[in-house]
Amino acid sequence: MSRVLVVGAGLSGGACAWLLRGAAPGRVTVWDKARGAGGRMSTSRAAWDAACTADLGAQYVTRETKRAGRCCSFYEELLCHGILKPLMAPVEGMVAKEGSCNYMAPQGISSVVKYYLNQSGADVFYEQHVTCISLRDGKWEVSRKTGPPEQFDIVILTMPVPQILQLQGDIVNSFAKLSCHTAEICQSWGLQKLERSCGRGEGWRRMEMTACGRLTEMRERCQCPVINESQKQQLESVSYSSRYALGLFYEAGTRIDVPWAAQYITDNPCIRFISIDNKKRNIAEPVSCSLQFPEIPAFACSRSRTLPEWPLALRCGGTSFAARLPHESPEIGPSVVVHTTVAFGSEYLDSDPAEVQQLILSHLERIVPSLPTPASIKCQKWRYSQVTKAVPSSPGQMILHTQPLLICGGDGFTCSNFDGCIDSALSLAEAVKSHL
């Protein structure tokens, strides 16, 4: 029974684990270096109230009906279970594409990934930072910063491509590393100690032959690293944009008086996007009022339609319109999300986070001077925010080693949106199933 490891609990990794639930029941493990699921579909929570949340990564999901293709069933399932709902809140500056629909996640954008992980039946472990992948007795031995290494028959890598290239072990071994392997093996087999205590007798020769066999195995692997030169060049060609995100958390009852739920900013060198996150996700308490308008002709109401409840729900058949206006909930504190421009993110990528936070806040005050002082702030650096150049001509994955299978995927092999991540997950699952 093959053990499968998925590295990365983002959308591609979570969806891949879900797709493998039937082919490898109870045999899939997911590791992620973060403290929770989501990857770049991350939702953060206020320290004092888990209900006060902010989407610091992806803000909403856009479905382009003409291009959805094999992703259609994924949208339908998430909508059916209430994981996604139509984005009805006003977003100023949003460029609407013909034939596209936007969805938000009422429980936070990370709930999309959590849904797939929960339904997958996989064993999911967080704060597991993978550092090294090496061949051991026909399996992959995967090491992490904390905890002992474990062996798997199949390893699926879904983290950003630069992090794949940073892995150590046989995945990048070369002749230069052979000498250190030789020293490690001699030390582990205790040849020098045995020679000093017993001389070169029969026991020493048997151990020497075993160690030599191991060295030969290591030498063969060192001559041919898992990632070949062509693959390495393709992976190194992948590029990402970088940006910062701020999450501002407020106490319950705080009022944020702006006429929009989210806004794209076009004239600021620092800030690109601002969201009143609870309003965006329609979890603010609505206040109903009646507005009087002239009589509506009967033909205007002849068709039965389901109309959005927020920001305006219309009830035909008379002169009364019932409007539902946003108002902060008295029980859940509001939250604000700020995304910087790519240029700002690149310029301050390696700067002190505290200084970056203050700089962003100073720009935010100029744009929204009425914004109250938050109870707490979280500054998130997205070094690998969105793919600007993917692996060329990729089917959504790349097989690095066939037997045992080592395969990588994610948006670095497609594009940085929902469809791109799902396309990669589908390609990964198809390739893996043939090896189970």
Side-chain angles (χ1 to χ4, degrees), residues 370-403:
S370 63
L371 204 62
T373 302
S376 69
I377 301 173
K378 178 174 181 180
C379 182
Q380 173 72 52
K381 175 168 67 177
W382 295 113
R383 182 176 292 274
Y384 308 113
S385 175
Q386 290 179 300
V387 174
T388 54
K389 182 182 178 184
V391 171
S393 305
S394 169
Q397 47 81 5
M398 178 184 289
I399 295 176
L400 302 178
H401 195 276
T402 305
Q403 200 62 251

Side-chain angles (χ1 to χ4, degrees), residues 189 191 194-195 198-213:
W189 284 91
L191 290 176
L194 182 63
E195 182 181 10
C198 305
R200 296 197 174 192
E202 184 62 27
W204 187 93
R205 281 191 289 273
R206 283 198 301 270
M207 289 184 68
E208 181 188 35
M209 291 177 63
T210 306
C212 285

